[in-house]
């Protein structure tokens, strides 16, 4: 009886210890969540800064086994908070390295594989894995070819381009090289990698449709010029902002104006209004396009424009930028909207000022429709449409 009593007492002790351990783990997890929540609450102007500093100090002391949970704190965080949380995670990893502790690689790989997590958090997990286990890079990078993290995807595309470059050196493997470059182009979202793949495909006499890859709108109806002298026309709602009547004629800057069709053949979708409408100073031009979508969906409307500009989708103003000649680039301005099923209306207002310097003469824009990753979304009625993968 005494032996059984002793065993019973030990069992009771083990149960208490086990329960305490579970409570400790739960408390640790809850503590990490609360600390990252405090850090995510910090604002650029300093609101919550003191609390965030204290929370960061505690978070950086977390156990190395908690790294995946710390990185998960970046989910939904803005850039400022994400930087703080990543710094805490790196502090934990560096401390573990100094103490010869292993990182929880299995858990970090599971975190990395879950694309629902923040791209920045997953990037940090990848770097930690590779720092401790360099050989993992060779296995992991090819899996990022269609990854929602642009940083991870870029690594995979770079590797795909290298593979293609090696193949093209073998005269007997030109078809394989072309296929490899095509794979890289399909996955690429960064302009430099897109250009690199496209250039090599052209050398191999392969067709390349850059406008479709990017999702540039090529067919427009244009009208103008309207008055923008002294830059006063930017906020004037000229008739195209009130109605779209492609048969109408309106008073313009130098007389009546009416809509006309225009299709650009520029590989990057640039519409040169100086050539299409005519060279005017202190002028407003409008471009209108119809976009056919099989389903309702969220989209990015991305604009490159060196002039003042506004963009509407189905009458909703998505972006307005009263800036002149400050440079231009693909995706310079990003408006987020929602396509409806069926016909959609895209309207662009492009404002030219009255500067006379040579560098201030451009009057142009480019516009593309894509998802939040930059993957092209093409109108269902686009001629020769070849829809890019939505991944």
């Amino acid at each position: 009886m005494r032996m059984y009593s002793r065993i019973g007492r030990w069992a009771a002790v083990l149960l208490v210890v086990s329960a305490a351990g579970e409570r400790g783990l739960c408390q640790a997890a809850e503590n990490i969540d609360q600390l990252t929540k405090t850090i995510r609450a910090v604002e650029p102007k300093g609101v919550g800064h003191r609390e965030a500093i204290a929370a960061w100090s505690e978070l950086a002391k977390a156990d190395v086994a908690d790294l995946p949970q710390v990185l998960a704190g970046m989910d939904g965080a803005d850039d400022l908070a994400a930087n703080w949380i990543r710094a805490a995670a790196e502090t934990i990893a560096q401390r573990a390295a100094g103490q010869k502790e292993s990182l929880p690689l299995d858990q970090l790989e599971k975190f990395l594989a879950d694309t629902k997590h923040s791209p920045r958090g997953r990037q940090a997990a990848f770097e930690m894995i590779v720092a401790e286990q360099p050989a993992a890079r060779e296995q992991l990078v090819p899996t990022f070819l269609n990854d929602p993290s642009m940083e991870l995807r870029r690594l995979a595309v770079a590797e795909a381009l290298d593979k293609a470059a090696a193949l093209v050196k073998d005269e007997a493997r030109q078809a394989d090289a072309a296929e490899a470059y095509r794979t890289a182009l399909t996955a690429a979202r960064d302009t430099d990698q897109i250009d690199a793949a496209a250039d090599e495909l052209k050398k191999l006499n392969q067709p390349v449709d850059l406008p479709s890859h990017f999702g540039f709108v090529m067919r427009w109806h244009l009208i103008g010029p309207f008055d923008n002298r002294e830059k006063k026309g930017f906020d004037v709602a000229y008739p195209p902002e009130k109605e779209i009547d492609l048969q109408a004629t309106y008073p313009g800057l130098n007389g009546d104006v009416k809509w006309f069709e225009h299709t650009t053949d520029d590989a990057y979708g640039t519409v040169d209004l100086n050539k299409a409408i005519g060279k005017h100073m202190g002028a407003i031009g409008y471009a209108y396009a119809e976009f056919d979508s099989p389903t309702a969906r969220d989209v990015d409307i991305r604009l490159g424009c060196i002039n003042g500009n506004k963009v509407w989708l189905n009458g909703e103003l998505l972006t307005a930028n009263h800036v002149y000649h400050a440079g231009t680039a693909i995706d310079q301005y990003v408006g987020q909207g929602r396509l409806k099923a069926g016909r959609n209306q895209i309207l662009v207002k492009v404002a030219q000022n009255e500067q006379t310097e040579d560098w201030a003469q451009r009057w142009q824009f480019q516009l593309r429709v894509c998802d939040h990753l930059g993957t092209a979304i093409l109108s269902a009625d686009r001629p020769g449409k070849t829809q890019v993968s939505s991944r």
Side-chain angles (χ1 to χ4, degrees), residues 60-360:
K61 297 174 185 176
D63 189 88
V64 67
D66 296 325
L67 265 177
Q69 187 180 356
V70 173
L71 292 173
M74 297 170 71
D75 296 349
D78 61 21
D79 289 345
L80 178 62
N83 286 338
W84 282 49
I85 296 170
R86 175 162 183 162
E90 290 174 345
T91 299
I92 295 167
Q94 290 167 5
R95 185 178 66 247
Q99 297 174 352
K100 307 299 183 185
E101 291 184 78
S102 295
L103 299 182
L105 294 178
D106 288 346
Q107 295 305 311
L108 285 172
E109 288 186 13
K110 288 180 181 179
F111 180 90
L112 174 60
D114 187 351
T115 57
K116 293 179 182 177
H117 286 304
S118 157
R120 295 186 64 179
R122 294 177 59 238
Q123 173 77 17
F126 168 73
E127 292 175 2
M128 290 176 185
I129 292 167
V130 171
E132 180 148 322
Q133 199 173 71
R137 189 183 193 284
E138 185 176 349
Q139 296 178 330
L140 291 173
V141 169
T143 69
F144 302 147
L145 205 56
N146 293 299
D147 202 276
S149 164
M150 292 298 97
E151 293 81 5
L152 296 176
R153 182 186 289 237
R154 183 176 177 84
L155 293 176
V157 172
E159 186 173 278
L161 288 170
D162 289 343
K163 176 184 176 182
L167 289 171
V168 82
K169 294 177 182 178
D170 186 343
E171 289 293 333
R173 304 200 66 183
Q174 299 303 287
D176 292 336
E179 183 178 351
Y181 276 121
R182 184 71 62 186
T183 296
L185 175 61
T186 299
R189 294 295 176 270
D190 291 333
T191 304
D192 61 330
Q193 291 185 326
I194 291 169
D195 287 344
D199 288 346
E200 293 301 325
L201 283 167
K202 291 174 184 176
K203 291 177 184 177
L204 293 168
N205 297 316
Q206 296 293 311
V208 177
D209 185 355
L210 283 179
S212 290
H213 179 83
F214 281 106
F216 287 119
V217 177
M218 308 295 280
R219 296 186 301 166
W220 296 92
H221 287 85
L222 306 179
I223 192 170
F226 294 91
D227 191 2
N228 190 40
R229 287 172 295 187
E230 298 181 7
K231 298 186 284 191
K232 293 180 179 179
F234 186 78
D235 291 321
V236 174
Y238 289 111
E241 297 178 39
K242 302 173 183 177
E243 64 171 358
I244 299 296
D245 181 355
L246 299 179
Q247 306 306 315
T249 299
Y250 304 109
L253 176 63
N254 300 316
D256 288 347
V257 295
K258 60 183 180 179
W259 292 99
F260 63 94
E261 293 184 17
H262 176 79
T263 299
T264 177
D265 59 1
D266 183 76
Y268 293 92
T270 299
V271 177
D272 188 339
L273 297 178
N274 281 328
K275 292 181 179 179
I277 293 178
K279 186 172 174 55
H280 299 279
M281 307 302 293
I284 297 286
Y286 288 93
Y288 168 74
E290 295 184 348
F291 193 99
D292 188 5
S293 177
T295 60
R297 63 178 299 175
D298 294 329
V299 293
D300 280 3
I301 304 292
R302 302 189 181 186
L303 180 77
C305 185
I306 199 168
N307 310 99
N309 58 80
K310 294 183 180 181
V311 179
W312 293 264
L313 174 62
N314 295 326
E316 179 186 358
L317 181 64
L318 300 187
T319 184
N321 309 281
H322 201 191
V323 180
Y324 295 91
H325 310 300
T328 186
I330 292 175
D331 300 347
Q332 184 177 9
Y333 304 108
V334 179
Q336 296 175 325
R338 185 168 180 81
L339 294 174
K340 60 185 180 182
R343 191 188 71 167
N344 295 265
Q345 297 182 326
I346 299 173
L347 180 67
V348 185
K349 181 176 189 175
V350 187
Q352 172 66 301
N353 64 4
E354 297 169 271
Q355 288 180 249
T356 58
E357 297 88 348
D358 289 343
W359 49 264

